[in-house]
Amino acid sequence: KPSLRALLGVFRKPHLALWSCQNAPPCCSISSLLASAPAVTMLNIVKISVCFLVIAGAWVLALQWDVDPTIRWQLKVLPLYAIVSFGLYSIGVIGYSVATFPTCPEAAESLQKEMASATEELVRKGVLSPEDSAKEGAKKCN
């Protein structure tokens, strides 16, 4: 079985020296990559697409039925109802998540410490002047 190193060597251009498999570890063979690959699973986008196609197909079939005109009109606007319902549900979920968002004082303190150390490092490297860091500190307090 050809190795990934050999396959990539065929397509490698001398002017593209950004990558190379010359010093690649021995795990770069196709057989080892295929052996370590997980089993084929259905992605969420595929699941959503299949559900959408099944529902759309059922809707189109329902439109073919010979039913009362008021029911036919309700069937025609059913996708609009579904979109509006999904939007309202999404707004409700987002609103609830924002309303119940937990505060974490430990994370806030840790973030403030990281920001202070990053500012000190930037001053030490000469990217910021001490006056600039003092201004940033004053902005933070206001």
Side-chain angles (χ1 to χ4, degrees), residues 23 28 32 46 50-51 54 66 78 92-93 98 106 110-111 121 126 137:
N23 299 323
C28 281
S32 65
V46 175
V50 167
C51 288
V54 167
D66 187 25
L78 191 63
V93 167
V98 168
E106 297 87 17
S110 171
L111 183 60
E121 185 176 341

Side-chain angles (χ1 to χ4, degrees), residues 67-138:
V67 292
D68 190 52
T70 57
I71 295 175
R72 179 174 299 282
W73 181 81
Q74 290 174 351
L75 280 174
K76 285 182 181 179
V77 297
L78 191 63
L80 181 63
Y81 290 150
I83 291 170
V84 169
S85 298
F86 177 72
L88 292 174
Y89 171 76
S90 298
I91 290 172
V93 167
I94 291 169
Y96 177 76
S97 298
V98 168
T100 60
F101 190 77
T103 57
C104 189
E106 297 87 17
E109 290 174 14
S110 171
L111 183 60
Q112 291 292 334
K113 288 177 184 177
E114 287 179 20
M115 289 170 49
S117 66
T119 304
E120 290 172 7
E121 185 176 341
L122 289 173
V123 168
R124 191 171 55 249
K125 290 184 176 183
V127 176
L128 286 178
S129 65
E131 296 84 26
D132 290 337
S133 68
K135 288 178 188 175
E136 294 296 323

